[in-house]
């Protein structure tokens, strides 16, 4: 097994390789505006660090969000293109699942990331591996925490409402994404196809018909 995983659902453009036992290489750049420019170099870096070729990859995994349309599109289209070229399967894993998995918690909690517009993407977990509700998008004050700890960048942005987000990385780093996917694949758990989790309509819209100009 050699899983190539990457995520572009947040400002973290992140890629990693996992051999079924451990993360072989991981690279992350925090830049919310250059997903398209940074992903391919990140993939090249982890392949070089692990001293493997792209042809040795047996599965491609992309974070499927939720996240902004533009960022998600970069990662998921890359996953589909690489999988087609290599003749290997491509999968999508909820990006919040990677945040939850990296936190290592064994008790119920909530993972949250920044959704912009003063909102957060969030989901509820019974432990690091098990999502029981969500994902959703809400204003921080409307997240029904019910006293549960909240981890991730979404919480860090609104500490007065959601806590400080401690106990897990702020972003869905690819090392955790790859490890979770490899674990599920080894157990025979069916993974989802690489399809985006959109909780909002895209900001971009088709322009309407031009207005008539009268003299």
């Amino acid at each position: 097994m050699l899983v190539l995983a990457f995520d572009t659902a947040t400002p973290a453009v992140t890629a990693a390789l996992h051999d079924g036992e451990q993360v072989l290489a991981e690279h992350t750049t925090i830049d919310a505006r250059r997903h398209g420019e940074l992903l391919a170099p990140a993939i090249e870096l982890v392949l070089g660090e692990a001293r493997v070729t792209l042809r040795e990859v047996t599965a491609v995994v992309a974070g499927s969000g939720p996240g902004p349309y533009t960022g998600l599109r970069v990662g998921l289209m890359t996953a589909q293109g690489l999988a087609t070229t290599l003749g290997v399967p491509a999968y999508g894993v909820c990006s919040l699942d990677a945040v939850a998995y990296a936190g290592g918690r064994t008790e119920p909690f909530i993972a949250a990331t920044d959704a912009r517009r003063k909102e957060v993407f969030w989901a509820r977990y019974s432990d690091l591996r098990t999502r029981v509700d969500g994902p959703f998008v809400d204003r921080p004050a409307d997240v029904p925490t019910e006293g549960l700890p909240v981890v991730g960048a979404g919480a860090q942005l609104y500490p007065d409402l959601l806590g400080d987000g401690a106990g897990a990385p702020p972003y869905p780093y690819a090392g955790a994404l790859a490890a979770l996917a490899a674990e599920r694949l080894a157990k025979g758990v069916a993974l989802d196809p690489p399809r985006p989790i959109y909780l909002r309509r895209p900001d971009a819209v088709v322009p309407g018909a031009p207005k008539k100009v009268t003299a």
Side-chain angles (χ1 to χ4, degrees):
M1 179 186 296
L2 188 61
V3 176
L4 171 63
F6 41 82
D7 193 291
T8 55
T10 72
V13 181
T14 177
L17 281 167
H18 197 287
D19 66 358
E21 295 184 359
Q22 62 183 342
V23 175
L24 301 179
E26 182 174 10
H27 179 78
T28 300
T29 302
I30 309 301
D31 190 327
R33 298 181 180 275
R34 296 197 298 146
H35 294 89
E37 297 173 42
L38 296 172
L39 181 56
I43 292 172
E44 292 179 2
L45 280 169
V46 295
L47 289 169
E49 184 177 333
R51 297 183 180 180
V52 300
T53 67
L54 191 57
R55 288 289 175 185
E56 294 176 77
V57 169
T58 60
V60 180
V61 176
S64 54
Y69 174 80
T70 303
L72 279 181
R73 181 179 61 182
V74 169
L76 292 166
M77 290 183 65
T78 299
Q80 293 171 352
L82 286 175
T84 299
T85 300
L86 299 173
V88 301
Y91 304 105
V93 173
C94 176
S95 300
L96 288 168
D97 289 359
V99 175
Y101 186 79
R105 291 178 176 264
T106 58
E107 301 294 333
F109 66 97
I110 288 171
T113 56
D114 182 20
R116 304 177 184 176
R117 305 181 191 176
K118 298 182 180 179
E119 293 180 323
V120 296
F121 296 122
W122 67 276
R124 184 180 289 108
Y125 294 81
S126 61
D127 58 43
L128 72 160
R129 295 179 174 85
T130 311
R131 176 162 35 100
V132 294
D133 206 11
F136 306 105
V137 60
D138 284 298
R139 293 180 299 176
D142 294 332
V143 176
T145 60
E146 300 174 355
L148 294 177
V150 184
V151 302
Q156 294 175 2
L157 286 170
Y158 306 99
D160 293 342
L161 297 169
L162 300 176
D164 60 8
Y171 303 118
Y173 292 118
L177 184 71
L180 177 60
E183 181 181 292
R184 289 175 174 174
L185 288 171
K187 293 180 177 179
V189 176
L191 298 184
D192 294 329
R195 294 174 182 165
I197 300 173
Y198 292 139
L199 300 182
R200 295 193 187 115
R201 298 177 65 85
D203 291 333
V205 296
V206 178
K211 294 182 180 180
K212 293 183 179 180
V213 178
T214 57

